[in-house]
Amino acid sequence: MSHLDLEQLREKVDAVNLEILTLINERATVIQEIGKIKEKQGVNRYDPLRERHMLNLLKENNNGPLDQKTVDHIFKEIFKSALDMQEEDHRKALLV
Amino acid sequence: MSHLDLEQLREKVDAVNLEILTLINERATVIQEIGKIKEKQGVNRYDPLRERHMLNLLKENNNGPLDQKTVDHIFKEIFKSALDMQEEDHRKALLV
């Protein structure tokens, strides 16, 4: 393969990265909405059963090449980031 | 908001999760192709300048709500997973 192929593949990676960026932010927005509802209901934001459900759904739909352990690891980071963001929002709200 | 809203938002999260899953696997496939080219060229797979370029591009395009530190953290996990996958493939190839 030529140098051009490498450049083309890198452009593809850049494009996919930006699509992933859009989706993790879109996901975070929905999680914020869910957090607001849960706050009104007075229930805990972290729900291990819901997290298990999400990981199972990902497992059922993972066709690779990433193995399930890796997929779980990436998504646990994504789950954690949404919770951290809400904690931060909550702290800021308390300081107002 | 009602219970139904919460369910609808969760369905939205499930759908976005599956889209992210498709993209991280698509990305991993392209990274495998890049790895093959680099292997032929005899150059190292890990390229800190390329990683910096990708993180800068993400920073320029991040409109939140996730902050940049969080986005960087998630993507570093994604970058690492692709490298780990290739290391594993390489180890398996050596064992054949």
Side-chain angles (χ1 to χ4, degrees):
Chain A
M1 287 206 207
S2 70
H3 182 68
L4 191 63
D5 290 317
L6 187 59
E7 274 314 300
Q8 282 170 336
L9 291 171
R10 281 179 164 166
E11 280 170 22
K12 174 76 185 160
V13 172
D14 284 343
V16 174
N17 284 349
L18 293 180
E19 285 185 76
I20 295 171
L21 176 66
T22 301
L23 286 171
I24 58 176
N25 272 317
E26 191 179 329
R27 188 186 187 284
T29 304
V30 183
I31 296 291
Q32 280 180 322
E33 288 302 311
I34 291 175
K36 284 178 201 163
I37 296 177
K38 284 188 165 187
E39 195 161 338
K40 280 185 195 162
Q41 292 177 343
V43 292
N44 203 322
R45 283 191 191 93
Y46 176 62
D47 181 347
L49 281 179
R50 169 73 187 143
E51 194 167 304
R52 178 44 48 204
H53 165 83
M54 290 191 287
L55 291 173
N56 284 344
L57 194 64
L58 290 163
K59 189 174 177 180
E60 286 163 20
N61 287 277
N62 183 26
N63 300 314
L66 292 175
D67 63 29
Q68 197 51 39
K69 199 178 142 195
T70 304
V71 169
D72 283 357
H73 194 70
I74 293 170
F75 271 90
K76 280 178 185 174
E77 283 302 323
I78 294 172
F79 297 165
K80 191 175 164 294
S81 70
L83 286 172
D84 289 349
M85 179 189 66
Q86 289 184 86
E87 291 292 322
E88 185 62 22
D89 289 347
H90 192 62
R91 249 197 312 277
K92 280 179 189 161
L94 289 176
L95 289 171
V96 172
Chain B
M1 288 208 205
S2 69
H3 183 68
L4 190 63
D5 290 316
L6 187 60
E7 273 313 300
Q8 281 170 338
L9 291 170
R10 283 180 164 166
E11 280 170 22
K12 175 76 184 158
V13 172
D14 284 343
V16 174
N17 284 349
L18 293 180
E19 284 184 76
I20 296 171
L21 176 66
T22 300
L23 286 171
I24 59 175
N25 273 317
E26 191 179 330
R27 189 186 185 284
T29 304
V30 183
I31 296 292
Q32 279 179 324
E33 288 303 311
I34 292 175
K36 282 178 203 164
I37 296 178
K38 286 189 164 187
E39 194 160 339
K40 279 183 194 162
Q41 291 177 346
V43 293
N44 203 320
R45 282 191 191 94
Y46 176 63
D47 181 346
L49 282 178
R50 169 74 187 141
E51 192 166 305
R52 179 41 52 203
H53 165 84
M54 290 191 288
L55 291 174
N56 284 343
L57 195 65
L58 290 164
K59 189 175 176 178
E60 286 162 18
N61 288 275
N62 183 28
N63 300 313
L66 292 175
D67 62 28
Q68 198 51 40
K69 198 178 143 197
T70 305
V71 168
D72 283 356
H73 194 72
I74 293 171
F75 271 90
K76 280 179 184 172
E77 282 302 323
I78 294 173
F79 297 166
K80 190 176 166 291
S81 70
L83 286 172
D84 288 350
M85 180 189 64
Q86 289 184 86
E87 290 292 322
E88 184 63 23
D89 288 348
H90 193 62
R91 248 197 312 277
K92 280 180 189 160
L94 288 176
L95 288 171
V96 171

